[in-house]
Amino acid sequence: MDGLSDENKRLVQQMELEYRRKGAALSEDEFNELTKLNLKLEELEVSFQRNIDSRDEKTLFTRGELEGLPDTYFKDREIRDIGGGKKYVVSTCSADYYLLMNHAQLESTRRAMFLVQNNRCTDNVHVLNTAIQIRQEKAKLLGYETHAEYALEPHMAKTPQAAYDMLTELRKNLTELGSKELEQLEQLKRSDMHAVGKIYEGFFEWDRSFYANKLSNQNFSTSNLRCYFSLPQVIRNMFELYQTLFGVTIVEMENPRVWHEDVEMYELWEADEETFVGHFYTDFFHRPGKSRISVHNIRSGYNDETRQYPVCAIVACFAKPEPSTPVLLHHTEVEMLMGELGRVFQNMLCKTKLAKFHGCKALEQDFVETPIQILKDF
Protein backbone atom coordinates (compact mmCIF):
# COMPACT_ATOMS: atom_id res chain seq x y z
CA MET A 1 0.00 0.00 0.00
CA ASP A 2 2.91 2.37 0.71
CA GLY A 3 3.86 2.61 -2.95
CA LEU A 4 0.32 3.28 -4.18
CA SER A 5 -1.14 6.63 -5.13
CA ASP A 6 -3.97 8.01 -3.00
CA GLU A 7 -6.48 7.03 -5.69
CA ASN A 8 -5.18 3.46 -5.86
CA LYS A 9 -5.16 3.17 -2.05
CA ARG A 10 -8.80 4.18 -2.00
CA LEU A 11 -9.47 1.62 -4.72
CA VAL A 12 -7.93 -1.20 -2.68
CA GLN A 13 -9.84 -0.19 0.45
CA GLN A 14 -13.15 0.01 -1.38
CA MET A 15 -12.58 -3.27 -3.25
CA GLU A 16 -11.94 -5.11 0.03
CA LEU A 17 -15.10 -3.64 1.54
CA GLU A 18 -17.20 -4.32 -1.56
CA TYR A 19 -16.03 -7.94 -1.95
CA ARG A 20 -16.82 -8.63 1.69
CA ARG A 21 -20.26 -7.00 1.40
CA LYS A 22 -20.94 -9.05 -1.74
CA GLY A 23 -20.25 -12.30 0.07
CA ALA A 24 -16.61 -13.12 -0.68
CA ALA A 25 -16.18 -14.54 2.84
CA LEU A 26 -19.25 -16.81 2.68
CA SER A 27 -19.35 -20.54 2.10
CA GLU A 28 -20.56 -21.79 -1.28
CA ASP A 29 -24.05 -22.58 0.05
CA GLU A 30 -24.30 -19.22 1.77
CA PHE A 31 -23.12 -17.42 -1.36
CA ASN A 32 -25.74 -19.21 -3.47
CA GLU A 33 -28.41 -18.13 -0.99
CA LEU A 34 -27.11 -14.54 -1.15
CA THR A 35 -27.32 -14.63 -4.95
CA LYS A 36 -30.96 -15.71 -4.77
CA LEU A 37 -31.78 -12.90 -2.34
CA ASN A 38 -30.04 -10.33 -4.55
CA LEU A 39 -31.98 -11.47 -7.60
CA LYS A 40 -35.26 -11.19 -5.70
CA LEU A 41 -34.34 -7.69 -4.54
CA GLU A 42 -33.42 -6.58 -8.06
CA GLU A 43 -36.77 -7.80 -9.37
CA LEU A 44 -38.61 -6.01 -6.56
CA GLU A 45 -36.69 -2.76 -7.10
CA VAL A 46 -37.46 -2.79 -10.84
CA SER A 47 -41.12 -3.54 -10.14
CA PHE A 48 -41.33 -0.81 -7.49
CA GLN A 49 -39.90 1.88 -9.77
CA ARG A 50 -41.88 0.72 -12.81
CA ASN A 51 -45.10 1.01 -10.80
CA ILE A 52 -44.25 4.61 -9.86
CA ASP A 53 -43.16 5.65 -13.36
CA SER A 54 -46.23 4.17 -15.05
CA ARG A 55 -48.89 5.31 -12.60
CA ASP A 56 -49.54 8.98 -13.26
CA GLU A 57 -53.09 9.00 -11.91
CA LYS A 58 -55.65 11.55 -13.08
CA THR A 59 -58.53 13.27 -11.33
CA LEU A 60 -61.16 15.81 -12.35
CA PHE A 61 -61.95 19.28 -10.99
CA THR A 62 -64.26 22.10 -11.98
CA ARG A 63 -62.82 25.54 -12.61
CA GLY A 64 -64.28 26.67 -9.28
CA GLU A 65 -62.55 23.82 -7.44
CA LEU A 66 -59.26 25.01 -8.93
CA GLU A 67 -59.63 28.59 -7.68
CA GLY A 68 -56.24 30.14 -7.06
CA LEU A 69 -54.45 28.44 -9.95
CA PRO A 70 -53.00 30.80 -12.62
CA ASP A 71 -54.62 31.06 -16.04
CA THR A 72 -51.61 29.31 -17.59
CA TYR A 73 -52.56 26.18 -15.64
CA PHE A 74 -55.68 25.80 -17.78
CA LYS A 75 -54.14 26.52 -21.16
CA ASP A 76 -54.51 23.46 -23.44
CA ARG A 77 -55.54 21.32 -20.44
CA GLU A 78 -57.79 18.38 -21.26
CA ILE A 79 -61.47 18.99 -20.46
CA ARG A 80 -64.14 16.31 -20.04
CA ASP A 81 -67.93 16.63 -20.02
CA ILE A 82 -69.22 15.04 -16.82
CA GLY A 83 -72.96 15.10 -16.17
CA GLY A 84 -73.47 18.11 -18.39
CA GLY A 85 -70.66 20.08 -16.77
CA LYS A 86 -67.02 20.60 -17.74
CA LYS A 87 -64.16 19.35 -15.61
CA TYR A 88 -60.42 19.76 -16.03
CA VAL A 89 -58.11 16.74 -16.01
CA VAL A 90 -55.27 17.04 -13.48
CA SER A 91 -52.56 14.39 -13.25
CA THR A 92 -50.14 13.47 -10.48
CA CYS A 93 -47.09 14.44 -12.56
CA SER A 94 -44.97 16.93 -10.64
CA ALA A 95 -45.76 19.85 -12.98
CA ASP A 96 -49.48 19.49 -12.16
CA TYR A 97 -49.33 18.29 -8.59
CA TYR A 98 -47.04 20.79 -6.89
CA LEU A 99 -48.57 23.84 -8.54
CA LEU A 100 -52.01 22.73 -7.38
CA MET A 101 -50.85 21.98 -3.82
CA ASN A 102 -49.19 25.40 -3.62
CA HIS A 103 -52.07 27.47 -5.01
CA ALA A 104 -55.47 25.71 -4.81
CA GLN A 105 -57.50 27.71 -2.27
CA LEU A 106 -60.09 25.03 -1.47
CA GLU A 107 -58.95 22.55 1.16
CA SER A 108 -61.22 19.91 -0.38
CA THR A 109 -59.32 20.19 -3.67
CA ARG A 110 -55.91 19.90 -2.00
CA ARG A 111 -57.10 16.97 0.08
CA ALA A 112 -58.50 15.14 -2.95
CA MET A 113 -55.29 15.65 -4.92
CA PHE A 114 -53.12 14.65 -1.96
CA LEU A 115 -55.04 11.39 -1.53
CA VAL A 116 -54.82 10.56 -5.24
CA GLN A 117 -51.07 11.19 -5.23
CA ASN A 118 -50.36 9.25 -2.06
CA ASN A 119 -52.60 6.30 -2.87
CA ARG A 120 -50.93 5.57 -6.19
CA CYS A 121 -49.19 2.26 -6.67
CA THR A 122 -50.92 0.28 -3.92
CA ASP A 123 -49.13 -2.77 -5.34
CA ASN A 124 -45.94 -1.27 -3.96
CA VAL A 125 -47.05 -1.88 -0.36
CA HIS A 126 -46.59 -5.61 -0.86
CA VAL A 127 -43.41 -5.02 -2.89
CA LEU A 128 -41.91 -2.88 -0.13
CA ASN A 129 -42.86 -5.25 2.70
CA THR A 130 -41.30 -8.16 0.82
CA ALA A 131 -38.14 -6.12 0.11
CA ILE A 132 -37.78 -5.19 3.79
CA GLN A 133 -37.94 -8.85 4.79
CA ILE A 134 -35.39 -9.92 2.16
CA ARG A 135 -33.03 -7.08 3.08
CA GLN A 136 -33.03 -8.23 6.69
CA GLU A 137 -32.34 -11.83 5.63
CA LYS A 138 -29.45 -10.60 3.46
CA ALA A 139 -27.97 -8.52 6.28
CA LYS A 140 -28.10 -11.46 8.70
CA LEU A 141 -26.48 -13.77 6.15
CA LEU A 142 -23.58 -11.31 5.76
CA GLY A 143 -23.08 -11.06 9.52
CA TYR A 144 -24.90 -7.79 10.30
CA GLU A 145 -27.60 -7.41 12.94
CA THR A 146 -29.85 -5.22 10.78
CA HIS A 147 -30.16 -3.90 7.24
CA ALA A 148 -29.46 -0.41 8.63
CA GLU A 149 -26.09 -1.63 9.94
CA TYR A 150 -25.28 -3.11 6.53
CA ALA A 151 -26.48 -0.05 4.59
CA LEU A 152 -24.59 2.55 6.65
CA GLU A 153 -21.21 0.81 6.80
CA PRO A 154 -19.76 2.41 3.62
CA HIS A 155 -21.18 5.85 4.45
CA MET A 156 -19.77 8.62 6.62
CA ALA A 157 -22.23 7.83 9.42
CA LYS A 158 -20.90 4.23 9.60
CA THR A 159 -23.37 2.99 12.25
CA PRO A 160 -27.12 3.24 12.96
CA GLN A 161 -26.35 4.71 16.37
CA ALA A 162 -24.33 7.56 14.84
CA ALA A 163 -27.17 8.30 12.41
CA TYR A 164 -29.76 8.13 15.20
CA ASP A 165 -27.71 10.46 17.42
CA MET A 166 -27.39 13.00 14.59
CA LEU A 167 -31.13 12.90 13.86
CA THR A 168 -31.96 13.21 17.57
CA GLU A 169 -29.73 16.29 17.89
CA LEU A 170 -31.21 17.75 14.71
CA ARG A 171 -34.75 17.17 15.96
CA LYS A 172 -33.94 18.85 19.29
CA ASN A 173 -32.50 21.90 17.55
CA LEU A 174 -35.35 22.24 15.05
CA THR A 175 -38.39 21.45 17.19
CA GLU A 176 -38.73 24.93 18.70
CA LEU A 177 -38.32 26.64 15.32
CA GLY A 178 -40.68 24.16 13.66
CA SER A 179 -43.33 24.68 16.35
CA LYS A 180 -43.23 28.45 15.88
CA GLU A 181 -43.60 28.10 12.11
CA LEU A 182 -46.46 25.62 12.52
CA GLU A 183 -48.27 28.13 14.78
CA GLN A 184 -47.98 30.73 12.02
CA LEU A 185 -49.34 28.32 9.41
CA GLU A 186 -52.22 27.30 11.69
CA GLN A 187 -53.11 30.94 12.30
CA LEU A 188 -53.29 31.56 8.55
CA LYS A 189 -55.67 28.64 8.14
CA ARG A 190 -57.80 29.72 11.11
CA SER A 191 -58.14 33.16 9.51
CA ASP A 192 -59.18 31.61 6.19
CA MET A 193 -61.75 29.37 7.87
CA HIS A 194 -63.17 32.30 9.87
CA ALA A 195 -63.43 34.43 6.71
CA VAL A 196 -65.73 31.88 5.02
CA GLY A 197 -67.66 30.97 8.18
CA LYS A 198 -66.18 27.48 8.59
CA ILE A 199 -64.95 25.75 11.75
CA TYR A 200 -61.21 25.15 12.05
CA GLU A 201 -60.77 21.38 12.27
CA GLY A 202 -57.00 21.10 12.29
CA PHE A 203 -53.92 21.49 10.15
CA PHE A 204 -53.18 18.62 7.77
CA GLU A 205 -50.44 17.52 5.43
CA TRP A 206 -52.37 18.72 2.38
CA ASP A 207 -52.39 22.21 3.94
CA ARG A 208 -48.64 22.47 4.41
CA SER A 209 -47.50 23.52 0.92
CA PHE A 210 -50.36 25.96 0.41
CA TYR A 211 -49.89 27.82 3.70
CA ALA A 212 -46.10 27.66 3.59
CA ASN A 213 -46.33 29.31 0.17
CA LYS A 214 -48.82 31.87 1.53
CA LEU A 215 -46.59 32.65 4.52
CA SER A 216 -43.57 33.00 2.26
CA ASN A 217 -45.45 35.41 0.00
CA GLN A 218 -46.52 37.49 2.99
CA ASN A 219 -42.95 37.75 4.25
CA PHE A 220 -41.25 37.95 0.89
CA SER A 221 -43.21 37.25 -2.27
CA THR A 222 -41.33 35.55 -5.08
CA SER A 223 -44.36 34.97 -7.32
CA ASN A 224 -43.83 38.27 -9.13
CA LEU A 225 -40.28 37.18 -9.97
CA ARG A 226 -41.41 34.48 -12.42
CA CYS A 227 -41.53 36.93 -15.29
CA TYR A 228 -37.74 37.25 -14.95
CA PHE A 229 -37.15 33.49 -14.95
CA SER A 230 -38.04 32.25 -18.42
CA LEU A 231 -36.36 28.90 -18.91
CA PRO A 232 -34.20 29.86 -21.94
CA GLN A 233 -32.96 32.99 -20.15
CA VAL A 234 -32.25 31.06 -16.93
CA ILE A 235 -30.30 28.39 -18.82
CA ARG A 236 -28.35 30.99 -20.79
CA ASN A 237 -27.39 32.91 -17.64
CA MET A 238 -26.50 29.76 -15.72
CA PHE A 239 -24.31 28.60 -18.59
CA GLU A 240 -22.54 31.97 -18.58
CA LEU A 241 -22.04 31.77 -14.80
CA TYR A 242 -20.64 28.25 -14.89
CA GLN A 243 -18.42 29.09 -17.87
CA THR A 244 -16.90 31.94 -15.88
CA LEU A 245 -16.74 29.99 -12.61
CA PHE A 246 -15.06 26.90 -14.06
CA GLY A 247 -13.16 28.37 -17.01
CA VAL A 248 -14.99 26.41 -19.71
CA THR A 249 -16.85 27.03 -22.96
CA ILE A 250 -20.24 25.47 -23.78
CA VAL A 251 -21.07 24.88 -27.45
CA GLU A 252 -24.54 23.80 -28.58
CA MET A 253 -24.45 21.11 -31.27
CA GLU A 254 -26.55 21.44 -34.40
CA ASN A 255 -28.77 18.53 -35.51
CA PRO A 256 -27.50 16.10 -32.86
CA ARG A 257 -28.58 12.45 -32.72
CA VAL A 258 -30.85 12.40 -29.65
CA TRP A 259 -33.67 10.28 -28.22
CA HIS A 260 -36.39 12.98 -28.50
CA GLU A 261 -36.96 16.23 -30.37
CA ASP A 262 -36.95 18.19 -27.09
CA VAL A 263 -33.41 17.08 -26.25
CA GLU A 264 -30.44 19.37 -26.87
CA MET A 265 -26.78 18.32 -26.90
CA TYR A 266 -23.73 20.37 -25.93
CA GLU A 267 -19.97 20.09 -26.15
CA LEU A 268 -17.88 21.27 -23.22
CA TRP A 269 -14.41 22.69 -23.84
CA GLU A 270 -11.81 24.31 -21.65
CA ALA A 271 -11.88 28.09 -22.05
CA ASP A 272 -9.03 28.07 -24.57
CA GLU A 273 -11.33 25.97 -26.83
CA GLU A 274 -8.41 23.66 -27.58
CA THR A 275 -9.03 21.00 -24.94
CA PHE A 276 -12.22 18.97 -25.26
CA VAL A 277 -13.94 18.00 -21.96
CA GLY A 278 -17.05 15.99 -22.88
CA HIS A 279 -20.72 16.03 -23.92
CA PHE A 280 -23.92 16.63 -22.01
CA TYR A 281 -27.62 16.60 -22.89
CA THR A 282 -30.56 18.65 -21.63
CA ASP A 283 -34.08 17.15 -21.64
CA PHE A 284 -36.27 19.65 -19.81
CA PHE A 285 -39.91 19.11 -20.80
CA HIS A 286 -42.61 16.84 -19.47
CA ARG A 287 -43.34 13.49 -21.11
CA PRO A 288 -45.05 10.41 -19.68
CA GLY A 289 -42.64 8.48 -17.47
CA LYS A 290 -40.64 11.54 -16.40
CA SER A 291 -41.22 12.64 -12.82
CA ARG A 292 -38.53 14.96 -11.46
CA ILE A 293 -35.34 16.85 -12.21
CA SER A 294 -32.28 14.60 -12.10
CA VAL A 295 -28.83 14.08 -13.60
CA HIS A 296 -27.80 10.82 -15.23
CA ASN A 297 -24.20 9.77 -15.82
CA ILE A 298 -24.20 8.12 -19.26
CA ARG A 299 -20.48 7.49 -19.55
CA SER A 300 -17.78 8.03 -16.95
CA GLY A 301 -14.58 9.83 -17.77
CA TYR A 302 -11.15 8.47 -16.87
CA ASN A 303 -7.48 8.85 -17.78
CA ASP A 304 -5.66 5.72 -18.84
CA GLU A 305 -3.30 5.69 -21.80
CA THR A 306 -5.89 7.89 -23.50
CA ARG A 307 -8.67 10.10 -22.19
CA GLN A 308 -12.21 8.62 -22.03
CA TYR A 309 -14.54 11.62 -22.25
CA PRO A 310 -17.58 11.83 -19.95
CA VAL A 311 -21.19 12.07 -21.12
CA CYS A 312 -24.16 12.92 -18.91
CA ALA A 313 -27.72 14.25 -19.15
CA ILE A 314 -29.91 16.54 -17.07
CA VAL A 315 -33.61 15.60 -17.19
CA ALA A 316 -36.51 17.70 -15.89
CA CYS A 317 -40.29 17.83 -16.12
CA PHE A 318 -41.15 21.46 -16.93
CA ALA A 319 -44.33 22.26 -18.86
CA LYS A 320 -43.65 22.50 -22.58
CA PRO A 321 -43.69 26.08 -23.93
CA GLU A 322 -46.25 27.39 -26.37
CA PRO A 323 -45.33 29.82 -29.18
CA SER A 324 -46.83 32.72 -27.23
CA THR A 325 -46.25 31.37 -23.71
CA PRO A 326 -42.67 30.85 -22.51
CA VAL A 327 -41.85 28.53 -19.62
CA LEU A 328 -41.59 30.68 -16.47
CA LEU A 329 -39.88 29.11 -13.47
CA HIS A 330 -40.62 29.57 -9.79
CA HIS A 331 -37.72 30.73 -7.65
CA THR A 332 -37.47 27.28 -6.02
CA GLU A 333 -37.22 25.69 -9.49
CA VAL A 334 -34.42 28.08 -10.40
CA GLU A 335 -32.55 27.05 -7.24
CA MET A 336 -33.08 23.37 -7.99
CA LEU A 337 -31.95 23.77 -11.58
CA MET A 338 -28.85 25.64 -10.42
CA GLY A 339 -27.89 22.77 -8.16
CA GLU A 340 -28.55 20.02 -10.73
CA LEU A 341 -26.59 21.85 -13.41
CA GLY A 342 -23.81 22.00 -10.85
CA ARG A 343 -24.00 18.21 -10.69
CA VAL A 344 -23.59 18.10 -14.48
CA PHE A 345 -20.38 20.09 -14.23
CA GLN A 346 -19.19 18.00 -11.29
CA ASN A 347 -19.49 14.96 -13.54
CA MET A 348 -18.01 16.65 -16.59
CA LEU A 349 -14.99 18.30 -14.98
CA CYS A 350 -13.87 15.48 -12.70
CA LYS A 351 -10.52 13.99 -13.76
CA THR A 352 -9.56 10.63 -12.31
CA LYS A 353 -7.44 7.73 -13.47
CA LEU A 354 -10.26 5.32 -12.69
CA ALA A 355 -13.85 5.49 -13.95
CA LYS A 356 -14.94 4.12 -10.56
CA PHE A 357 -14.19 7.47 -8.92
CA HIS A 358 -15.58 9.68 -11.66
CA GLY A 359 -17.87 12.54 -10.59
CA CYS A 360 -20.26 11.86 -7.72
CA LYS A 361 -18.99 8.28 -7.41
CA ALA A 362 -15.84 9.61 -5.74
CA LEU A 363 -17.89 10.69 -2.70
CA GLU A 364 -19.60 8.84 0.12
CA GLN A 365 -23.34 8.75 -0.50
CA ASP A 366 -24.18 10.83 2.58
CA PHE A 367 -21.77 13.56 1.41
CA VAL A 368 -22.63 13.50 -2.28
CA GLU A 369 -25.18 16.36 -2.04
CA THR A 370 -22.81 18.75 -0.26
CA PRO A 371 -20.99 20.20 -3.32
CA ILE A 372 -24.33 20.64 -5.10
CA GLN A 373 -25.87 22.38 -2.10
CA ILE A 374 -22.91 24.76 -1.98
CA LEU A 375 -23.37 25.61 -5.65
CA LYS A 376 -27.13 26.06 -5.18
CA ASP A 377 -26.60 28.44 -2.25
CA PHE A 378 -23.90 30.27 -4.21
Side-chain angles (χ1 to χ4, degrees):
M1 292 283 284
D2 291 341
L4 297 178
S5 66
D6 290 341
E7 188 172 346
N8 284 336
K9 286 179 183 178
R10 182 169 172 81
L11 175 65
V12 172
Q13 292 166 351
Q14 288 203 356
M15 286 179 65
E16 186 278 329
L17 179 63
E18 288 172 7
Y19 279 130
R20 178 164 50 80
R21 289 167 58 80
K22 291 179 179 178
L26 298 179
S27 67
E28 183 176 352
D29 289 344
E30 290 172 328
F31 186 80
N32 289 337
E33 178 62 22
L34 178 65
T35 301
K36 292 178 183 178
L37 294 176
N38 282 332
L39 287 173
K40 289 179 182 178
L41 277 176
E42 288 177 9
E43 291 171 359
L44 291 169
E45 288 167 0
V46 170
S47 178
F48 187 92
Q49 190 60 50
R50 185 189 298 120
N51 288 342
I52 292 175
D53 291 341
S54 63
R55 302 282 179 85
D56 265 354
E57 301 290 345
K58 295 180 179 180
T59 189
L60 305 174
F61 296 105
T62 65
R63 182 67 182 250
E65 289 171 328
L66 294 173
E67 183 181 358
L69 275 297
D71 290 340
T72 53
Y73 194 77
F74 302 93
K75 185 175 177 58
D76 297 326
R77 184 169 295 279
E78 181 184 352
I79 300 175
R80 295 181 186 174
D81 288 323
I82 306 294
K86 292 184 177 181
K87 291 195 173 184
Y88 291 87
V89 178
V90 180
S91 78
T92 54
C93 77
S94 58
D96 277 6
Y97 178 76
Y98 290 109
L99 197 58
L100 184 147
M101 297 304 290
N102 280 340
H103 297 282
Q105 293 186 8
L106 294 181
E107 180 180 354
S108 58
T109 299
R110 300 193 303 271
R111 181 180 184 276
M113 195 67 205
F114 176 84
L115 293 177
V116 169
Q117 166 79 338
N118 287 277
N119 283 285
R120 291 189 303 150
C121 312
T122 54
D123 295 346
N124 275 350
V125 175
H126 173 71
V127 173
L128 187 58
N129 286 335
T130 305
I132 290 172
Q133 180 181 344
I134 294 176
R135 283 177 170 180
Q136 182 62 19
E137 292 177 23
K138 176 180 174 179
K140 285 285 189 179
L141 184 60
L142 288 167
Y144 301 88
E145 285 299 316
T146 64
H147 172 70
E149 186 178 306
Y150 167 80
L152 286 170
E153 183 185 27
H155 294 184
M156 292 178 66
K158 299 300 181 188
T159 67
Q161 187 60 50
Y164 180 80
D165 290 344
M166 185 199 73
L167 292 172
T168 301
E169 182 69 16
L170 188 64
R171 182 187 181 98
K172 182 177 69 175
N173 292 335
L174 293 179
T175 296
E176 183 177 352
L177 292 173
S179 297
K180 289 180 179 178
E181 184 172 310
L182 180 58
E183 289 176 4
Q184 291 178 295
L185 299 179
E186 287 183 307
Q187 185 55 48
L188 287 176
K189 186 177 180 181
R190 284 193 181 93
S191 297
D192 283 353
M193 295 298 98
H194 178 74
V196 295
K198 291 185 178 180
I199 299 173
Y200 175 77
E201 297 180 343
F203 193 87
F204 304 99
E205 180 60 24
W206 51 80
D207 296 321
R208 183 175 57 84
S209 295
F210 176 76
Y211 285 104
N213 184 58
K214 191 170 186 176
L215 180 63
S216 175
N217 287 335
Q218 283 186 358
N219 293 334
F220 177 72
S221 175
T222 60
S223 59
N224 58 346
L225 298 179
R226 290 190 69 199
C227 61
Y228 300 103
F229 293 143
S230 69
L231 181 60
Q233 180 178 335
V234 168
I235 294 299
R236 183 169 59 252
N237 290 340
M238 287 186 181
F239 278 4
E240 291 177 359
L241 173 62
Y242 278 128
Q243 285 180 122
T244 302
L245 189 61
F246 295 124
V248 294
T249 299
I250 300 168
V251 180
E252 183 175 357
M253 299 186 65
E254 296 184 3
N255 302 315
R257 295 179 61 185
V258 293
W259 56 90
H260 191 273
E261 62 181 6
D262 293 339
V263 179
E264 296 178 343
M265 183 177 180
Y266 298 86
E267 290 181 345
L268 191 66
W269 295 76
E270 291 190 6
D272 57 14
E273 298 188 16
E274 295 181 359
T275 305
F276 181 66
V277 176
H279 292 103
F280 68 93
Y281 299 88
T282 62
D283 186 359
F284 287 132
F285 303 119
H286 172 72
R287 293 193 303 277
K290 296 173 70 179
S291 59
R292 60 186 178 84
I293 188 168
S294 56
V295 172
H296 302 270
N297 185 38
I298 298 173
R299 185 175 68 195
S300 297
Y302 61 87
N303 293 317
D304 197 356
E305 294 181 357
T306 58
R307 173 66 175 164
Q308 175 74 42
Y309 297 107
V311 181
C312 70
I314 179 170
V315 177
C317 200
F318 301 124
K320 199 167 183 177
E322 298 295 332
S324 60
T325 309
V327 178
L328 300 178
L329 302 183
H330 293 278
H331 187 258
T332 53
E333 292 175 319
V334 175
E335 289 182 309
M336 190 179 302
L337 186 57
M338 183 75 173
E340 293 303 314
L341 271 174
R343 195 186 304 279
V344 169
F345 286 96
Q346 182 181 6
N347 276 288
M348 298 298 294
L349 298 174
C350 180
K351 291 184 178 180
T352 60
K353 178 182 177 182
L354 304 169
K356 179 179 179 61
F357 297 132
H358 174 80
C360 300
K361 294 184 289 185
L363 307 175
E364 266 69 12
Q365 285 301 302
D366 45 354
F367 185 77
V368 73
E369 294 295 328
T370 301
I372 306 309
Q373 190 62 49
I374 292 172
L375 283 170
K376 186 194 295 186
D377 291 344
F378 171 81

